[in-house]
Amino acid sequence: MDGIDKHAAFYRAYLPADRSLVPMTIALATIVALWFFVYLVVAVGPQTEAETVRPGTHAAPIAALRSESR
């Protein structure tokens, strides 16, 4: 074995196995898809009254005004 073959064999040990790339890719894709699904559900889901009130106003006086107007 000459010098080039020795170096190639040494560095070949640091290469990832081809068998491990497919399961790792599937796992990463699954994690990203689940994260994106949860993000979309939270972003599109129904908002509570506290989230729809304008900043600087309080929910209690608005609720009191609604009950007085009825």
Side-chain angles (χ1 to χ4, degrees):
M1 232 195 234
D2 60 356
I4 293 175
D5 289 337
K6 289 181 184 177
H7 290 295
F10 176 77
Y11 287 112
R12 200 171 296 127
Y14 289 104
L15 292 174
D18 290 337
R19 296 176 305 206
S20 66
L21 291 178
V22 173
M24 186 181 300
T25 303
I26 292 171
L28 283 173
T30 303
I31 290 169
V32 169
L34 285 174
W35 175 85
F36 189 63
F37 177 72
V38 170
Y39 176 78
L40 285 179
V41 167
V42 170
V44 177
Q47 295 180 349
T48 62
E49 185 177 340
E51 292 173 346
T52 58
V53 174
R54 290 187 308 254
T57 60
H58 300 287
I62 293 173
L65 289 174
R66 287 183 187 162
S67 64
E68 289 176 4
S69 64
R70 290 183 184 170

